[in-house]
Amino acid sequence: MKNKLVADIFREIAKLLELKGENPFRIRAYEKASQNIESLTQDVEVFAKENKLTSLPGIGQDLANKIKEIIKTGTLTQYEKLKKEVPKGLLEMMEIPGLGPKTVKLIYEKLKIDSIGKLEEAAKSGKLRKLDGIREKTEENILKGISLLKKGRERTPLYLALKIAEGFLEPLRQMKEVEKIEVAGSVRRRKETIRDIDILIVSKNPSEVMDKFVNLSYVREVLAKGETKSSVRAGENEIQVDLRVVEKESFGSALMYFTGSKAFNIKLRQLASKDGYKINEYGVFALTKGKEKKVAGRTEEEIFELFKMPFVAPELREDRGEVELALKNKLPKIIDRKDIKGDLHVHSKYSDGTSTIKDIALYAERMGYQYVGICDHSQGLKVAGGVSVKDVYAKIEEVRKINRQLKKVKVLCGTEVDILNDGSLDYPDSVLKEFDLVIAAIHSGFKQPQHQLTKRIVSACKNKYVHVIAHPTGRLFGVRDSYEIDFDEILKVASDYQVALELNCFPQRLDLNDINCMRARAKKVKIALGTDAHILDQMLNMDLGVSVARRGWLEKEDVLNCWSLDKLLKWLKK
Ligand code: DGT
Ligand code: CA
């Protein structure tokens, strides 16, 4: 699978072009292509073989040829040439969140700084601020960015970790030697970033399993191989994967222990000791007269039962109050994937998506949905194929026609309208009122001061046609942190004006995150799940969004997508 390789080269080209001050449209084209290919769940080589590359979003004939060259040769002539024109360290410097190409160029040209190390030193000693256009604040931001970058490299985003984990689970599950297999740790809890992947198995013949494990094709390096535990580094980002063999009789306690979180384990241990029990990865033991007797451990269920708790979903096990609630049998009834009745953010060919509305609707039908919101970009967002007012009316007509043809799925004609710099929206109210679903989002000016960004979102909430604020905090894994907004203020206004906040399910976004979902829930602000799919396949990222919603304690009432079509329509019309 060469998806990551292609995505990486395109991303680097975009950066190199930026450093050279090239045309922003061209740069954006490479960035988009990179993102789309990276999040593709199918193998890009298959598309190449079948001559279907141009069916992918943002891939024209030119990029298709380049992808073929990368698949064939492992690199790209144009890329190799560009790399020679720009010092290597500058590219790395551009990975520092918040540091743009102009500043990198300036720093390089004036101070000959061409590595992150040198940059950190110069920022710490206050040398940068002597340059024109660099303030003390910029220097601080650079240092913050460097630490963010270092942190980011230690952890892998959930979607990649899940892919790698599945790459191990699937072949091992098929072995007759494997009786039970389960992923534990932060992957099972669906935490948004993962340090390492923990897998547990039960087997009567572990050495066969270990042999297979260390020889799987994704393994880059074998760190340790033993009878009961092996560790490898896997995948392009070389994440560590640990495989442990445990006893069948203590599988439940091992699974619970290695699922964590650590804070949850500690909480449970305290609880156990108060009741006169000892709990560890081997089981729960009753202590009587100095003697230990195992009383539970085969399954997690029997352990929870012993402590008079309902089953606590792994996504909740963070010691955020769930243990106390479980003891009172008052855990939130968090949503489940099967509660989702529709996707509220999908792009069609009208903007920068690859599929027709009809195909999206049919796909939604196959996913068992009752509705799907087609929210294309608005007129001013030219780089993303924003829809002109004239085409908005054509789209509305088309949606009506499709809705007459389809029985099971209702298409909601929507827009992802751009929130402009002054907080106004990129369509006039006379156009906005024609949509079934209006989600508003910020796509530029991420570095504005907090009060300005907050004000933009607040004014969008106050527009009576806006239903949802999309990707409200703007974070993009590995690219930028959330932008500075006063989230409490936004929650207050969203609650006052009954605007929902999106939980964008795009793998690099997951925005709102779990904590912000909890905060929204506490203020009774509704959440809308949207995959932001540009390819049909990406609609499957709903799973990721659901796991964030579960971590955020969301219940059916909190999530628009869990509502029936009637209830949703009523809310949208209000
Ligand atoms: P990460 O950092 O993404 O790998 O997160 P986890 O939660 O997978 O952490 P990891 O791999 O260090 O450990 C897996 C689980 O093992 C963790 O969730 C809880 C358990 N664990 C690890 N260290 C301790 C500890 O010192 N005390 C207790 N009670 N449990 C621990
Ligand atoms: Ca782990």
Side-chain angles (χ1 to χ4, degrees):
M1 186 125 150
K2 302 230 166 81
N3 297 24
K4 176 108 188 339
L5 178 70
V6 174
D8 284 349
I9 291 181
F10 282 177
R11 188 176 306 114
E12 299 257 296
I13 291 179
K15 284 186 189 150
L16 288 162
L17 293 175
E18 257 189 298
L19 276 172
K20 296 186 66 184
E22 294 254 350
N23 175 347
F25 279 87
R26 214 176 140 215
I27 296 166
R28 170 96 178 151
Y30 279 105
E31 278 171 356
K32 267 258 146 181
S34 164
Q35 264 186 24
N36 286 334
I37 292 191
E38 182 150 33
S39 57
L40 196 68
T41 51
Q42 287 154 301
D43 192 342
V44 73
E45 276 182 84
V46 176
F47 281 88
K49 256 187 223 128
E50 294 173 354
N51 257 325
K52 281 186 185 152
L53 285 170
T54 51
S55 73
L56 297 172
I59 308 292
Q61 199 50 58
D62 177 50
L63 287 179
N65 291 338
K66 287 180 176 156
I67 295 175
K68 283 186 190 157
E69 187 184 334
I70 297 171
I71 290 173
K72 202 164 142 208
T73 68
T75 184
L76 198 63
T77 331
Q78 173 207 12
Y79 171 56
E80 294 301 325
K81 192 165 150 262
L82 272 171
K83 274 204 295 195
K84 287 202 187 97
E85 294 170 22
V86 178
K88 191 164 168 271
L90 299 195
L91 264 186
E92 283 170 18
M93 280 160 65
M94 275 187 57
E95 282 180 31
I96 299 168
L99 188 60
K102 279 208 196 87
T103 317
V104 170
K105 227 167 127 185
L106 175 81
I107 294 172
Y108 171 66
E109 279 165 4
K110 298 282 184 210
L111 298 174
K112 293 280 156 281
I113 287 175
D114 59 1
S115 73
I116 294 181
K118 286 185 199 164
L119 182 68
E120 189 170 12
E121 215 179 276
K124 278 187 180 151
S125 58
K127 275 189 197 134
L128 298 182
R129 71 183 80 152
K130 301 212 171 81
L131 295 177
D132 260 355
I134 294 198
R135 290 164 300 151
E136 222 176 299
K137 179 89 182 141
T138 320
E139 228 170 38
E140 263 171 47
N141 283 342
I142 289 175
L143 285 173
K144 238 198 265 167
I146 291 174
S147 96
L148 194 72
L149 182 72
K150 286 183 180 163
K151 229 170 48 202
R153 288 200 173 141
E154 289 163 16
R155 302 189 66 88
T156 302
L158 177 64
Y159 74 100
L160 282 179
L162 276 171
K163 258 193 220 173
I164 294 168
E166 198 42 50
F168 282 94
L169 290 172
E170 211 256 339
L172 295 180
R173 210 179 270 135
Q174 309 209 347
M175 292 180 75
K176 61 176 187 322
E177 290 84 0
V178 173
E179 267 182 71
K180 268 179 197 276
I181 179 160
E182 204 79 61
V183 67
S186 48
V187 175
R188 183 159 179 247
R189 303 197 315 278
R190 298 291 192 269
K191 208 176 150 169
E192 65 185 29
T193 62
I194 308 293
R195 188 177 52 88
D196 58 21
I197 300 174
D198 312 272
I199 301 176
L200 303 181
I201 58 160
V202 172
S203 173
K204 289 203 186 81
N205 189 353
S207 60
E208 290 270 322
V209 186
M210 292 298 181
D211 277 342
K212 173 115 181 184
F213 174 68
V214 298
N215 284 306
L216 285 168
S217 63
Y218 343 95
V219 171
R220 292 284 168 102
E221 189 189 342
V222 178
L223 300 170
K225 183 169 176 261
E227 273 286 302
T228 55
K229 188 187 165 194
S230 297
S231 296
V232 299
R233 290 196 180 283
E236 275 108 358
N237 46 345
E238 313 216 324
I239 186 170
Q240 185 171 329
V241 186
D242 294 346
L243 180 68
R244 281 191 179 78
V245 183
V246 301
E247 293 297 324
K248 195 171 178 179
E249 285 64 42
S250 42
F251 187 72
S253 35
L255 184 59
M256 189 180 260
Y257 180 85
F258 289 108
T259 295
S261 65
K262 191 171 162 181
F264 175 87
N265 287 353
I266 291 171
K267 194 55 158 275
L268 227 59
R269 201 165 59 214
Q270 290 167 347
L271 195 75
S273 109
K274 228 173 52 205
D275 293 351
Y277 294 113
K278 188 178 110 184
I279 180 169
N280 57 29
E281 62 263 54
Y282 305 107
V284 186
F285 303 87
L287 297 169
T288 38
K289 294 181 196 147
K291 268 197 180 161
E292 281 185 6
K293 186 175 167 257
K294 188 165 167 184
V295 286
R298 216 181 155 80
T299 64
E300 283 190 332
E301 283 79 359
E302 90 181 14
I303 301 172
F304 282 123
E305 213 169 290
L306 183 76
F307 292 115
K308 300 191 175 59
M309 283 190 220
F311 184 82
V312 180
E315 292 92 332
L316 294 177
R317 301 184 197 170
E318 296 291 346
D319 190 22
R320 292 175 181 159
E322 73 282 1
V323 175
E324 290 79 355
L325 287 179
L327 286 169
K328 289 188 234 160
N329 203 9
K330 281 189 176 155
L331 276 181
K333 292 186 181 57
I334 55 174
I335 66 164
D336 199 81
R337 175 65 182 78
K338 65 180 189 317
D339 298 324
I340 300 293
K341 297 184 163 61
D343 190 333
L344 294 173
H345 187 169
V346 180
H347 291 267
S348 77
K349 271 191 168 165
Y350 272 89
S351 62
D352 54 351
T354 44
S355 313
T356 61
I357 297 180
K358 179 88 179 265
D359 284 342
I360 296 169
L362 291 172
Y363 197 82
E365 196 175 287
R366 259 179 280 146
M367 285 181 74
Y369 287 163
Q370 294 174 16
Y371 44 84
V372 58
I374 315 281
C375 298
D376 288 299
H377 291 292
S378 57
Q379 53 183 351
L381 209 59
K382 297 265 175 0
V383 286
V387 184
S388 70
V389 170
K390 187 166 145 262
D391 285 346
V392 166
Y393 289 101
K395 181 174 161 182
I396 292 172
E397 267 318 303
E398 186 173 331
V399 167
R400 278 196 191 130
K401 205 175 102 202
I402 293 169
N403 277 332
R404 280 196 296 270
Q405 295 166 356
L406 295 178
K407 293 266 145 16
K408 291 190 191 132
V409 160
K410 166 100 173 172
V411 178
L412 303 172
C413 187
T415 178
E416 178 181 7
V417 65
D418 197 23
I419 304 174
L420 304 175
N421 260 324
D422 61 356
S424 67
L425 299 175
D426 190 27
Y427 287 128
D429 282 0
S430 59
V431 175
L432 289 178
K433 77 175 182 4
E434 301 293 331
F435 290 104
D436 302 318
L437 171 64
V438 175
I439 63 183
I442 284 182
H443 293 102
S444 60
F446 308 124
K447 284 189 202 151
Q448 286 166 358
Q450 193 194 54
H451 66 90
Q452 193 178 352
L453 280 160
T454 307
K455 212 172 110 203
R456 284 167 77 190
I457 297 182
V458 165
S459 4
C461 288
K462 288 182 177 171
N463 180 298
K464 67 174 173 183
Y465 299 109
V466 169
H467 300 109
V468 180
I469 301 294
H471 41 78
T473 77
R475 66 106 168 250
L476 213 48
F477 281 116
V479 179
R480 60 169 181 262
D481 252 351
S482 308
Y483 30 70
E484 308 241 346
I485 47 170
D486 181 345
F487 194 63
D488 285 319
E489 172 70 13
I490 288 166
L491 282 178
K492 187 178 170 306
V493 179
S495 154
D496 288 349
Y497 289 82
Q498 299 211 34
V499 171
L501 298 182
E502 183 178 67
L503 193 181
N504 189 292
C505 313
F506 209 76
Q508 286 92 341
R509 288 195 184 270
L510 301 184
D511 176 15
L512 299 181
N513 65 11
D514 53 354
I515 299 281
N516 284 332
C517 284
M518 284 180 112
R519 289 167 75 185
R521 176 176 181 261
K523 292 276 183 287
K524 299 201 161 41
V525 172
K526 304 295 176 204
I527 299 292
L529 266 66
T531 58
D532 210 345
H534 289 69
I535 316 174
L536 290 179
D537 224 28
Q538 293 172 343
M539 287 171 72
L540 301 174
N541 289 328
M542 183 57 78
D543 290 5
L544 276 179
V546 169
S547 64
V548 177
R550 288 166 63 83
R551 288 180 58 84
W553 292 29
L554 299 185
E555 302 184 283
K556 284 199 248 178
E557 189 50 36
D558 305 316
V559 178
L560 300 184
N561 314 60
C562 298
W563 297 2
S564 69
L565 176 62
D566 278 351
K567 182 168 170 177
L568 177 67
L569 288 177
K570 238 180 246 158
W571 186 86
L572 289 173
K573 281 189 187 116
K574 215 167 40 190

